Amino acid sequence: MDTTETFTADAPIDGGPEGPSRAALFDAATGYTRRRTFAIISHPDAGKTTLTEKLLLESGAIRLAGQVKERGERRRTRSDWMEIEQKRGISISSSVMTFEYDGLVLNLLDTPGHADFSEDTYRTLTAVDSAIMVIDAAKGIEAQTRKLFEVCRLRDIPIITFVNKIDREGRDPLEILDEIMSGLALDVAPITWPMGMGTDFRGLAAFQEGQPVTLTRNTRARETFDDVESFLTEPRLTGDPVFGPAMEAMDIARASLPSFDLESYRQGHMTPVIFGSATREIGVRELLDAVRSFAPPPLPQPAEPKPIEPAMNEVSGFVLKIQANMDPNHRDRVAFVRLTSGVFKRGMKLKNVRSGKELKIASPMFFFAREREVVDEAVAGDIVGIPNHGTLSVGDTLTEGSTFSVTGIPSFAPELIRRVRLPDAMKVKQMTRALNDLAEEGVTQVFRPMLGSSWLVGVVGALQLDVLVSRLEVEYGVTIMLESAAFDTARWVTCDDAAELERFVNSNKGDMAFDRAERPVFLARSAWDISYAQKNYPQIVFSTTREIG
Ligand code: G4P
């Protein structure tokens, strides 16, 4: 039985007659101000999947806990290559979930949890306006969290922190806050405080200066106190051996930490912290409320020649991800487009600025909870799925005719390079097409060496290679072998002086290749090779990233 409850076109937004109408959500001038587009970043196992599920549940987007995982598994069985994902117990593909909460449309972008897929994750983070960082209360800040946090910092993405698993014995809350402050150089402002942890957990106190304090034992048992002082001095509670020290710690935190400052959060300097437990649904509503109250609406999108304002009339957007063959029976290929301005309507024609081609968008999709639904309208901040047959690539900008281009969507220098060997020479054509498709999707980078005829593929993480081989086989019927190439890494090379660039390329033919956009790439055996080349050709710029587009 399918117990998912998705929103229909005329469902009320927040159940109340006072809530904004659905028309308001798509209003040309202000609809975008009701969007909150965010991602969850965390180390694997911190509880991101569980929390996602509970966010959907709490908002009413799904009725029964367990849907996210169940659906995930059902989806996986559809595609063989995803077996890799299953075997290793990780989530490779990132997706979008749209749901409504209290008059807002929340677009949650899922980031792949595995370090090997960082490139995809980085791109996802270029399409969000804020993030939730999930930390395991017992483990504190782990490697992948730190890495993802650094990406958020590059773009000053505001972060709300959820300290998960307080139903287990964890670290002292003050110690966790200290770790965030010193480890990530962020100011912290707790919004909830745990009264005891693990078996001693008595409840979660939600406090903000001048506001009533709620004490939540579980989703049903809530108690309200007029203010922080009356909560701290409540004799019934202070007499409890757990409450006393917990309140003392909370008092120390209140006295020593700055109060929450919206500006500071929006600039990426301060993180509001919510302690909670995803499995026990504690702190989840507080987290949704924090997203509603603090997270920024769509911001201007960096672009050339100038940033795109979300209030602009012209519809625009960019492709953050391509997902192909989710269903091998249909060979579907969906481009996930983040809208950056205007009110998008079904049937509209948009121009791909890169190719100059026009695209009629007949059946765009929205991703309500986990279901796909055809969308009639969408505004800046929304992520729309556009089915296409290879006309769109990651990084492409779509407009109604203007020629501006979104900037800042990175591609990273590969850290592993392999030579592709094709045992069945009859399949060259299929292989070339398949490699091209998968490169467009961002599964791999493809390089054509200046000398020699075999292709090179470059990836950031080893897992991408497994996915590549498996997808070529399952989806295109092409078996390839990957052989070690003499190279370990690559740098895009540019130079203001075209003659100097030509000189460099011609003197290093054996180490040169071209990427899909025919940009010259220097293949290096080691970091030493690069510094040696740099020393001999000081005018050449060796880049580890390049912008797609
Ligand atoms: P991830 O997506 O970040 O990788 O984490 P996921 O939600 O899959 O959670 C990882 C494990 O942590 C799961 O346990 C999950 O149940 C548990 N977990 C998540 N939130 C909480 C919490 O608030 N408290 C406690 N005690 N555990 C939590 P598992 O044993 O791997 O899976 P399962 O059998 O429980 O599903």
Side-chain angles (χ1 to χ4, degrees), residues 42-50 69 164-165 167-168 277-279:
S42 66
H43 193 84
D45 268 352
K48 190 179 65 171
T49 313
T50 316
K69 266 192 183 158
N164 193 26
K165 308 195 188 182
D167 58 311
R168 277 196 198 155
S277 160
T279 43

Coordinates of all heavy atoms in Angstrom, one line a residue, residues 42-50 69 164-165 167-168 277-279, ligand 1:
S42 N 26.7 16.3 5.9 CA 27.0 15.5 7.0 C 28.0 14.4 6.7 O 28.2 14.1 5.5 CB 25.8 14.8 7.6 OG 25.3 13.8 6.7
H43 N 28.6 13.8 7.7 CA 29.5 12.7 7.5 C 28.6 11.5 7.4 O 27.5 11.5 8.0 CB 30.4 12.5 8.7 CG 31.6 11.6 8.5 ND1 32.7 11.9 7.8 CD2 31.7 10.3 8.8 CE1 33.5 10.9 7.8 NE2 32.9 9.9 8.4
P44 N 28.9 10.4 6.6 CA 28.0 9.3 6.5 C 27.7 8.7 7.9 O 28.6 8.7 8.8 CB 28.9 8.3 5.7 CG 29.8 9.1 4.9 CD 30.1 10.3 5.6
D45 N 26.5 8.3 8.1 CA 26.0 7.8 9.4 C 25.6 8.8 10.4 O 25.2 8.4 11.5 CB 27.0 6.8 10.0 CG 26.8 5.4 9.5 OD1 25.7 5.2 8.8 OD2 27.6 4.5 9.8
A46 N 25.8 10.0 10.2 CA 25.4 11.0 11.2 C 23.9 11.1 11.3 O 23.4 11.6 12.4 CB 26.0 12.4 10.8
G47 N 23.2 10.6 10.3 CA 21.7 10.6 10.4 C 21.0 11.4 9.4 O 19.8 11.8 9.6
K48 N 21.6 11.7 8.3 CA 21.0 12.6 7.2 C 19.8 12.0 6.6 O 18.8 12.7 6.5 CB 22.1 12.9 6.1 CG 21.6 13.9 5.1 CD 22.7 14.1 4.1 CE 22.8 12.9 3.2 NZ 23.7 13.1 2.1
T49 N 19.8 10.7 6.3 CA 18.6 10.1 5.7 C 17.5 10.1 6.7 O 16.3 10.4 6.3 CB 19.0 8.6 5.3 OG1 20.2 8.6 4.7 CG2 17.9 8.0 4.4
T50 N 17.8 9.7 7.9 CA 16.7 9.7 8.9 C 16.1 11.1 9.1 O 14.9 11.2 9.2 CB 17.3 9.2 10.3 OG1 18.1 8.0 10.0 CG2 16.2 8.8 11.3
K69 N 13.6 5.7 3.0 CA 14.5 4.5 2.8 C 13.8 3.5 1.9 O 14.5 3.0 1.0 CB 14.8 3.9 4.2 CG 16.1 4.4 4.7 CD 16.6 3.6 5.9 CE 17.9 4.3 6.4 NZ 18.2 3.9 7.7
N164 N 22.8 15.7 16.3 CA 21.8 14.5 16.3 C 22.2 13.5 17.4 O 23.3 13.5 17.9 CB 21.9 13.9 14.9 CG 20.7 12.9 14.7 OD1 19.7 13.0 15.3 ND2 20.9 12.0 13.8
K165 N 21.3 12.6 17.6 CA 21.5 11.4 18.5 C 21.7 11.8 19.9 O 22.5 11.1 20.6 CB 22.7 10.5 18.0 CG 22.6 10.2 16.5 CD 23.5 9.1 16.1 CE 23.5 8.9 14.6 NZ 24.3 7.8 14.1
D167 N 19.7 11.2 22.1 CA 19.1 10.1 22.8 C 20.1 9.0 23.3 O 19.8 8.1 23.9 CB 18.0 9.4 22.0 CG 18.5 8.9 20.7 OD1 19.2 9.6 20.0 OD2 18.2 7.7 20.4
R168 N 21.3 9.2 22.7 CA 22.4 8.3 23.1 C 23.4 9.1 24.0 O 23.4 10.3 24.0 CB 23.2 7.8 21.9 CG 22.6 6.7 21.2 CD 23.6 6.2 20.2 NE 23.1 5.4 19.2 CZ 23.6 5.2 18.0 NH1 24.8 5.8 17.8 NH2 23.1 4.4 17.1
S277 N 17.1 14.6 18.2 CA 17.3 13.2 17.8 C 16.4 12.9 16.6 O 15.1 13.1 16.8 CB 16.9 12.3 19.0 OG 16.7 11.0 18.5
A278 N 16.9 12.6 15.5 CA 16.1 12.3 14.3 C 15.2 11.1 14.5 O 14.0 11.2 14.3 CB 17.0 12.1 13.1
T279 N 15.8 10.0 15.1 CA 14.9 8.8 15.2 C 13.8 9.1 16.2 O 12.7 8.6 16.0 CB 15.8 7.6 15.7 OG1 16.6 8.0 16.7 CG2 16.5 6.9 14.6
Ligands
G4P1 P1 23.2 8.9 7.0 O1 22.1 9.1 6.0 O2 23.8 10.2 7.5 O3 24.3 8.0 6.5 O4 22.6 8.3 8.3 P2 21.3 7.4 8.5 O5 20.1 8.3 8.6 O6 21.2 6.3 7.6 O7 21.6 7.0 10.0 C1 22.7 6.2 10.4 C2 22.4 5.4 11.6 O8 22.2 6.2 12.7 C3 21.1 4.5 11.5 O9 21.3 3.4 12.2 C4 20.1 5.4 12.1 O10 19.0 4.7 12.6 C5 20.9 6.0 13.3 N1 20.3 7.3 13.7 C6 19.9 8.3 13.0 N2 19.5 9.3 13.9 C7 19.5 8.8 15.1 C8 19.2 9.4 16.4 O11 18.7 10.5 16.6 N3 19.5 8.5 17.5 C9 20.0 7.3 17.3 N4 20.2 6.6 18.5 N5 20.3 6.8 16.2 C10 20.1 7.5 15.1 P3 21.6 2.0 11.6 O12 21.7 1.0 12.7 O13 22.7 2.1 10.6 O14 20.3 1.7 10.7 P4 18.8 1.3 11.2 O15 18.8 -0.1 11.3 O16 18.6 2.0 12.5 O17 17.9 1.9 10.1

